[in-house]
Structure formats: structure tokens, C-alpha cells
Amino acid sequence: MDSSNSNIIPLIENHSDHEEIRDCHGLVKEFGQESKRLWQLAAPAIFTAICQYSLGALTQTFAGQVGELELAAVSVENSVVAGLAFGIMLGMGSALETLCGQAYGAGNLKMLGVYMQRSWVILLTTACLLVPLYVWSPPILELFGETAEISHAAGKFALWMLPQLFAYALNFPIQKFLQAQGKVLVMTWISAGVLVLHTFFSWLLILRLGWGLTGAALTLNISWWTIVIGQFLYIVITTSDGAWSGFSWLAFSDLFGFVKLSLASAIMLCLEFWYMMVLVVIAGRLPNPLIPVDAISICMNINGWDAMIPLGFNAAISVRVSNELGAGNARAAKFSVIVVSATSVAIGVICMIIVLATREYFPIFFTSSDAVAKETTRLAILLGFTVLMNSLQPVLSGVAVGAGWQSLVAYINIVCYYVVGLPAGILLGFTFGFGIMGIWGGMIGGTSLQTIILVVVTVLTDWNKEAEQAEGRIRKWGGSAAEQY
């Protein structure tokens, strides 16, 4: 062999190795940059979600210091009546994540304020339609198996909580409006400040002054309205870099397309939000249900706190995907999905390990009953798997919202949750006698199937095509008003 050729070959191989190393370093750097962008959105969103979730949880805690009936009244109203309204309002408001996110990415800032006002019109109308749920909550609760005493107390408390319903209607569009622009820190500071005040005034009114449920309702309503007013004042004062240009009659135009997207979003998220609530209701139908219901309630409490983490990633990925698709950056949208999925699953694995490692100990913080603690420890295995599944599933739902796939995911949820998961849980729990383990296990199967399908849909997505269709979606759902800007 020619000596000159023998010298060239190692140089070529060396150059190839350097190229691979350079590409690997570039990928790691890009992953780090995208991870930083996601955490800048996700961390404040997680903290905001925890603060707002804590408002109701703290009210329950203080009510429990008053008496058992007061605790039951607040718990039932908070989890069933307000929980139902919360799911609907959050879902209806999530239409804004698609429209505001893609409009912001496309540089069409002025439409964000119009979209927010349009969402207010739709959600305030929805709130009016939900008022009968609050007014007639006692017979509805009794229909679901609650005692007359608890139903009456919870129904009375529900009437006092009607202002919170209308705060939901204004709050969620405001939050989606701010999230689309990446202005999440202001929501965090306002929610944190309100939580501190809420804690003090709950103690003062409920315990110190002895106002009981009246003080609980007053404090909770004022706290939610303080959040709404604080966020709106920020928008008006700063004008959000031109995204807010005042009230407009365009909010009342082209509502049909917006309503369709809002309903699709509501159905998609409500089917997910209510799925685990159904678990507690079905558990109440088991023979001698007291112990399993208490145990499952403890597990759902822990699952609720843990859910705030993927909920933050849900908001972050929805913003990233909608912004990048609106700007026509298909590759950036796809890469963001990969980064957030890997991050959230890694956190989910850690949380699952913590749950499984502490399953012998954490029940004692929630109950003094040995039987309930033992049952909770047994169920903690399923709780661990639920925590892991919930680390990815909300993220994929966030991708769906950012891309505008709400209708598709709604159909997937119906089939996976209520055609497969729920019947499987009932079959395993009652027919085959596995009790609460069977019910929960079957429902985890539904969640697993839904997650697998969403992974396949996401992997097979043509992101270039999605970016091309983003402008068409804004025209379809946003209406002709977008052309005026």
C-alpha cells in the first residue's frame, strides 16, 4: 500500500470521530437549551398549580378543626361540586392554549386579547349553566350515595361558593393568555401571596372568630377573586407588550368555531379529570366500603399533589408546541416534545420509587386507623404505577392541546377510559372479587392504553404538516377577526 494513502486513512477516521463528537456535543447543548426553556415555563406553572390547589386543601384542613360535619361538607363540595365545575372550566379555557399560543408564535399579538375576551364570554355563559348544579347539589349528592346530613351541609356550602365558580370563568382564560406569552412568574407571585393571606385569614375567620363554614366560604371566595383581579390588573397596566389593547366587540364575533374548540378541549380534559374521581365513587359500592374508601382517598390525596408536577409540564409543552408551530418551526416543536417527555418520565420514576420506598410509613400521617394504614400500604403499589403513568400522560395531552388535536384525543379518552378501563375495573373488582385492587388495576389499564396510543400518534405526526396547518387552524377557530389584525 502507498504510504501516502496509509497516512490519509487515519486522518479520515479521525475527522469522522471528531464530527460524531461535535454532533453529540451539539445535541447535548440543544437538549440543555430546550430543557432550560421548558423549566422556565414549567417551574412557575408547577408552583402556581400547587398554590392554587392548596387554597381548597387548606380550607378543608381548617374546617376539619371545627368538626367532622364541617370537614365533610367542605371536602364533598370541594371534590365533587367545585371539582366538577373546575374540570369543565379548565377544559373550556384550554382552547386558548391552542389559539393564543399559535397566534403568539405567528407574531399576531393583538388577537390574544380578543381570544381571551371571547373565552370569557363562553366561560361566563357556561358558569351560568352550571349554577343549577350548585343550587340542587343536595339531591344530586344523595343520588351518589352521600348521607342526607352531609349532602345538606355540602349543598349549603356550595351555594356560598357560587362566586368561586365565576372566578374560575375569568381566571383560566387569563392564565392561558399569560402562559402563551411565557409570563408565568407573575401568576406564581400572585398565587403565592394570596396563599399566605389565605392561610392567615382562614385561621382568623374559621377558628379564631369562630365563623366556621361561613368564614371558610368567605376566605376561599375572596382568595380566588384576588388572584383574578391581581392578574387582570397586571395585564391592563403592562398591556402585555401589545397583546392587550382594551375591550373589543370582536369578542362576540365568530363564536361558533371557538365554542367547538372549547367543547372539544372540555370533553378531552374532563374525561381525564373525572376518571380518577370515579374510582372513589365505585369504591363506595364495595361491601364494607369504609376502609377501602379511606385508603383510596389517602392515595388520591398524594396523587393530587404529585399531579401538580406533570400539570406544570402540560402547560409548558402546550406553550412550546403552539408557539413553535405558530412560528412555523416544526423541528423545534418535535424536539421540545422529546425533551419534556424524557424529563417528565425521569421525574415520574423518581416519584414512583419514593412512593414505593415509603409505603410502610406515609399512611400514618393521614390516619390513626391500623386497618386503613395497612390497606393504604397495600394500595401504594398501584399508586406508584399511577404516579409513573401520570408523569407522561398529561404531557402528551399538553402536546395535543398545543397542536390542536383536542377532538381526536377526546375520542381516544372515551374509548380507553370509559369503554376499556372502567368496565375492566368493575369486572376485576366485583365479578372476579379483587375489590379495590381490581377496580384501580383495571383503570390503570385504561390509562396505559391511552398513553400508548398518544405516544404512537405523537411519533407518527408529520410536524412539518402541523406547522403548515397552524395558520389555517387560527383562521378556522379564531374566525375572521384575525384578519383585522
Side-chain angles (χ1 to χ4, degrees):
M1 183 182 290
D2 191 1
S3 62
S4 62
N5 288 338
S6 64
N7 289 333
I8 291 171
I9 290 172
L11 286 174
I12 293 173
E13 290 176 349
N14 236 359
H15 179 72
S16 176
D17 290 342
H18 282 310
E19 284 292 327
E20 288 181 12
I21 292 171
R22 196 179 300 117
D23 289 344
C24 184
H25 281 318
L27 185 63
V28 170
K29 184 179 179 181
E30 189 179 2
F31 190 98
Q33 289 172 342
E34 180 58 33
S35 183
K36 182 180 178 181
R37 292 190 199 101
L38 285 166
W39 275 108
Q40 285 174 343
L41 292 168
I46 291 168
F47 191 73
T48 300
I50 290 173
C51 288
Q52 295 186 2
Y53 179 84
S54 298
L55 294 177
L58 278 172
T59 301
Q60 278 184 224
T61 302
F62 282 110
Q65 303 297 315
V66 177
E68 293 180 357
L69 182 60
E70 286 77 8
L71 173 61
V74 175
S75 300
V76 170
E77 190 279 334
N78 205 27
S79 61
V80 180
V81 182
L84 185 69
F86 183 93
I88 293 173
M89 290 297 181
L90 178 62
M92 296 287 282
S94 292
L96 232 59
E97 291 187 52
T98 306
L99 287 171
C100 281
Q102 294 189 4
Y104 182 79
N108 202 353
L109 287 181
K110 289 187 177 179
M111 278 309 298
L112 270 67
V114 174
Y115 290 150
M116 179 174 67
Q117 293 172 61
R118 197 173 293 171
S119 188
W120 280 343
V121 172
I122 294 171
L123 264 68
L124 286 170
T125 303
T126 305
C128 292
L129 295 175
L130 288 174
V131 167
L133 171 68
Y134 282 67
V135 175
W136 289 307
S137 55
I140 294 173
L141 291 170
E142 286 188 51
L143 185 66
F144 280 100
E146 289 293 347
T147 64
E149 185 182 26
I150 292 177
S151 297
H152 177 75
K156 186 177 180 181
F157 187 69
L159 281 176
W160 293 342
M161 290 309 301
L162 275 171
Q164 182 193 52
L165 172 64
F166 290 91
Y168 286 163
L170 296 176
N171 179 62
F172 292 126
I174 290 174
Q175 288 194 337
K176 305 309 178 186
F177 172 86
L178 291 170
Q179 280 177 2
Q181 304 167 70
K183 297 182 176 181
V184 286
L185 274 174
V186 63
M187 295 190 297
T188 301
W189 286 114
I190 291 172
S191 297
V194 169
L195 180 60
V196 172
L197 293 174
H198 179 81
T199 304
F200 171 74
F201 283 105
S202 292
W203 167 81
L204 179 65
L205 297 183
I206 299 173
L207 299 182
R208 182 67 176 176
L209 299 180
W211 289 13
L213 289 182
T214 305
L218 184 63
T219 309
L220 195 52
N221 281 320
I222 290 175
S223 294
W224 272 101
W225 274 100
T226 302
I227 289 173
V228 171
I229 293 169
Q231 292 174 157
F232 181 65
L233 286 175
Y234 170 81
I235 292 171
V236 172
I237 292 169
T238 64
T239 69
S240 285
D241 300 326
W244 174 260
S245 55
F247 293 98
S248 171
W249 287 108
L250 291 174
F252 296 94
S253 65
D254 300 308
L255 285 172
F256 182 69
F258 206 104
V259 169
K260 285 180 65 178
L261 181 60
S262 296
L263 287 173
S265 300
I267 292 169
M268 184 194 92
L269 289 179
C270 285
L271 289 173
E272 296 175 2
F273 190 77
W274 296 334
Y275 188 52
M276 296 310 291
M277 289 174 58
V278 172
L279 177 59
V280 180
V281 175
I282 296 175
R285 301 293 179 182
L286 288 168
N288 303 315
L290 187 59
I291 291 176
V293 167
D294 283 351
I296 202 72
S297 296
I298 292 172
C299 290
M300 288 303 100
N301 193 3
I302 293 172
N303 187 56
W305 287 107
D306 175 78
M308 297 303 107
I309 299 173
L311 193 62
F313 283 113
N314 172 288
I317 192 59
S318 177
V319 171
R320 291 291 299 130
V321 167
S322 59
N323 284 177
E324 296 298 351
L325 289 180
N329 299 328
R331 185 189 176 279
K334 181 179 180 180
F335 190 71
S336 185
V337 172
I338 295 171
V339 173
V340 76
S341 298
T343 305
S344 189
V345 169
I347 293 174
V349 170
I350 293 170
C351 291
M352 180 183 71
I353 292 171
I354 292 172
V355 167
L356 295 179
T358 61
R359 68 183 185 275
E360 299 283 348
Y361 310 103
F362 74 76
I364 63 175
F365 293 103
F366 297 90
T367 180
S368 57
S369 168
D370 291 338
V372 173
K374 186 177 180 180
E375 182 71 2
T376 305
T377 298
R378 194 167 72 97
L379 291 176
I381 297 173
L382 293 179
L383 174 61
F385 281 108
T386 301
V387 165
L388 178 61
M389 294 304 304
N390 284 348
S391 67
L392 181 60
Q393 185 272 335
V395 168
L396 296 176
S397 293
V399 174
V401 170
W405 305 336
Q406 286 93 328
S407 296
L408 172 64
V409 179
Y411 288 121
I412 293 172
N413 287 352
I414 289 172
V415 173
C416 295
Y417 288 163
Y418 298 96
V419 176
V420 177
L422 190 56
I426 293 172
L427 193 66
L428 290 171
F430 293 92
T431 306
F432 291 97
F434 288 106
I436 191 62
M437 293 284 285
I439 297 171
W440 197 351
M443 294 177 74
I444 288 176
T447 305
S448 302
L449 178 62
Q450 185 244 24
T451 303
I452 292 169
I453 292 174
L454 287 181
V455 168
V456 172
V457 169
T458 304
V459 169
L460 296 179
T461 295
D462 184 342
W463 290 98
N464 290 313
K465 186 177 178 181
E466 290 295 324
E468 291 171 4
Q469 292 176 345
E471 185 179 350
R473 285 197 179 102
I474 293 174
R475 284 198 302 269
K476 176 184 175 182
W477 294 318
S480 59
E483 299 172 3
Q484 300 186 34
Y485 291 107

